[in-house]
């Protein structure tokens, strides 16, 4: 049956549908719980949280669901040259960003200090909190971390943008591989080569990864409806991950304006750019993506754009905000997890849906 796949067994979920994790404050415990309670795998992007915040988030999620869920971290938290700036380099950066700060009426950030996330602290907190799944991007955790996850009963799922990355993940002992095509919204999590040299589409990537590895494969990138899910299964995927489709739901922490744009016809105008964080990401094409100064290495670029893009989003000045979206955005129709999951399941297998009355186990949401 379409819903009985290796990934559902490995993740202990009813349906092979995974919600993509969102960092930068877009994730919410309500979204994670709603997806998990509906039979999928909810995910929380925790790469910008401290250890204590991770423990708090996990406790909050567990108050809303007793179903499996995932926490996501970035294995690599700093790029070459991203550790800091000299005094003259800081002044030069301020000069480049000053017009945008002035336009929004905000103060410039101080020199970057303690701007790099403590990955070791995050991993320690994650393993102590014991989510069902540790998903990660931008690299492979150490042998020790993967072993500690196995001991704790935590499944591991790593993102690959090329076949070589998929092979490296399997060789390291990762349980599940996420094959993410260039159509996906958000950051391109390449780690063996530069992201610009690793732009493989979902259509060619998934079957190549399926042929190259023996562990379960999850397809991601541009999947916005049941047709995309069926196509991913035909390509050999054991499950699918939908990001933008869940970001558009009311349960996410996206702004209303961000959600409204996702349902607008103009949401097909996305671009891969480094201007918001210093790492390549698919976002709405706007004035900042077209006119920003040459980006600094990650996370320095994020240090200087953080207050700018957050303020721009709050005041509705979208030409300076980072609105993440995948190329499947024009396919979106549903504004809640219940509506989205019901529609997907009804089209994937209407008889199964009718016979099982399966979704929306929401008593504890």
């Amino acid at each position: 049956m379409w819903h009985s796949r290796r990934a559902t067994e490995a993740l202990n979920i009813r349906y092979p549908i995974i919600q993509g994790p969102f960092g930068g404050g877009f994730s919410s415990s309500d979204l994670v719980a709603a997806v998990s309670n509906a039979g999928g795998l909810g995910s929380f992007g925790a790469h910008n949280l401290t250890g204590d915040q991770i423990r708090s988030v996990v406790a909050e999620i567990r108050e809303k669901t007793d179903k499996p869920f995932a926490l996501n971290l970035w294995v690599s938290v700093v790029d070459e040259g991203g550790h800091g700036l000299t005094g003259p380099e800081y002044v030069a950066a301020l000069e480049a960003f000053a017009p945008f700060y002035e336009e929004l009426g905000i103060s410039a950030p101080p020199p970057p200090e303690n701007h790099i996330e403590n990955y070791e602290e995050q991993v320690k907190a994650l393993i102590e909190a014991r989510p069902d799944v540790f998903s990660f991007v931008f690299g492979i955790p150490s042998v020790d971390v993967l072993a500690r996850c196995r001991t704790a009963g935590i499944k591991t799922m790593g993102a690959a943008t090329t076949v070589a990355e998929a092979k490296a993940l399997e060789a390291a002992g990762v349980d599940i591989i996420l094959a993410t095509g260039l159509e996906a919204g958000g950051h391109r999590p390449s780690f063996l080569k530069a992201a610009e040299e690793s732009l493989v589409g979902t259509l060619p990537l998934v079957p190549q990864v399926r042929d190259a590895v023996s562990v379960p494969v999850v397809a991601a990138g541009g999947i916005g409806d049941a047709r995309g899910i069926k196509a991913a299964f035909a390509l050999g995927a054991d499950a699918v991950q939908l990001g933008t489709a869940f970001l558009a739901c009311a349960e996410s922490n996206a702004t209303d304006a961000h959600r409204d744009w996702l349902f607008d016809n103009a949401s097909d105008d996305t671009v891969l750019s480094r201007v918001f964080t210093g790492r390549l990401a698919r976002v709405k094409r706007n004035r900042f993506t077209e006119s920003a100064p040459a980006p600094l290495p990650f996370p320095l670029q994020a240090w200087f754009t953080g207050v700018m893009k957050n303020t721009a989003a709050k005041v509705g000045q979208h030409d300076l905000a980072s609105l993440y979206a995948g190329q499947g955005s024009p396919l979106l129709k549903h504004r809640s997890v219940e509506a989205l999951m019901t529609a997907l399941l009804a089209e994937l297998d209407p008889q199964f849906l009718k016979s099982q009355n399966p979704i929306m186990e929401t008593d504890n949401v």
Side-chain angles (χ1 to χ4, degrees):
M1 299 178 72
W2 73 269
H3 54 87
S4 180
R5 293 174 177 270
R6 288 198 301 160
T8 55
E9 180 179 348
L11 298 170
N12 193 28
I13 56 178
R14 178 173 289 173
Y15 307 116
I17 298 174
I18 299 170
Q19 169 235 319
F22 315 125
F26 292 107
S27 288
S28 78
S29 59
D30 285 341
L31 178 63
V32 174
V35 175
S36 291
N37 285 331
L41 184 75
S43 306
F44 196 103
H47 81 269
N48 57 338
L49 302 184
T50 66
D52 286 341
Q53 289 171 327
I54 287 173
R55 295 181 184 93
S56 177
V57 161
V58 169
E60 187 175 327
I61 293 171
R62 286 195 169 123
E63 289 178 355
K64 301 174 181 180
T65 184
D66 59 0
K67 302 298 189 293
F69 64 91
L71 284 187
N72 181 270
L73 293 179
W74 291 15
V75 176
S76 168
V77 295
V78 60
D79 290 344
E80 183 177 355
H83 287 87
L85 296 173
T86 65
E89 288 171 336
Y90 170 69
V91 171
L94 284 187
E95 290 178 354
F97 286 100
F100 303 107
Y101 299 154
E102 293 172 4
E103 182 177 343
L104 291 169
I106 56 179
S107 300
E113 296 179 2
N114 300 320
H115 64 292
I116 299 172
E117 303 294 347
N118 189 326
Y119 169 71
E120 288 74 19
E121 176 191 349
Q122 292 174 328
V123 167
K124 180 176 183 294
L126 184 147
I127 294 175
E128 289 176 357
R130 295 197 177 191
D132 303 87
V133 181
F134 170 25
S135 70
F136 47 87
V137 293
F138 291 115
I140 307 175
S142 67
V143 172
D144 174 65
V145 168
L146 293 175
R148 287 159 60 196
C149 286
R150 283 192 291 272
T151 299
I154 301 170
K155 294 291 186 180
T156 54
M157 180 167 65
T161 63
T162 64
V163 172
E165 290 177 348
K167 289 180 177 180
L169 288 162
E170 182 181 42
V174 174
D175 296 312
I176 300 165
I177 293 172
L178 175 74
T180 174
L182 64 84
E183 301 92 337
H187 287 88
R188 302 303 305 140
S190 305
F191 61 91
L192 289 183
K193 293 183 179 180
E196 289 86 350
E197 299 175 14
S198 308
L199 297 177
V200 185
T202 305
L203 184 65
L205 180 63
V206 172
Q208 290 181 62
V209 170
R210 173 69 288 156
D211 290 348
V213 302
S214 60
V215 297
V217 174
V218 179
I223 303 172
D225 59 16
R227 292 173 296 179
I229 295 175
K230 292 176 181 178
F233 291 159
L235 294 173
D238 298 288
V240 295
Q241 178 172 288
L242 281 69
T244 309
F246 283 113
L247 181 65
C249 292
E251 294 89 346
S252 85
N253 268 345
T255 64
D256 289 340
H258 192 164
R259 273 190 283 267
D260 288 342
W261 172 71
L262 289 174
F263 289 101
D264 188 276
N265 291 334
S267 65
D268 64 348
D269 191 17
T270 63
V271 63
L272 287 169
S273 176
R274 290 181 178 266
V275 298
F276 284 110
T277 67
R279 285 184 171 174
L280 195 67
R282 185 171 296 283
V283 296
K284 170 183 171 62
R285 187 191 307 272
N286 60 19
R287 177 160 60 99
F288 193 70
T289 64
E290 302 306 295
S291 64
L296 298 165
F298 177 84
L300 291 173
Q301 183 73 4
W303 179 264
F304 286 98
T305 63
V307 66
M308 179 202 78
K309 62 185 183 182
N310 291 338
T311 301
K314 289 178 182 177
V315 302
Q317 193 162 333
H318 300 148
D319 58 349
L320 297 179
S322 56
L323 302 187
Y324 295 98
Q327 289 186 325
S329 298
L331 300 170
L332 303 183
K333 297 178 181 178
H334 306 289
R335 292 179 178 263
S336 72
V337 171
E338 179 174 4
L340 175 60
M341 289 292 287
T342 299
L344 293 176
L345 296 175
E347 187 171 344
L348 288 167
D349 192 340
Q351 292 305 313
F352 178 78
L353 181 67
K354 185 182 299 183
S355 65
Q356 297 293 315
N357 189 23
I359 72 167
M360 296 307 117
E361 301 168 7
T362 54
D363 291 345
N364 54 351
V365 175

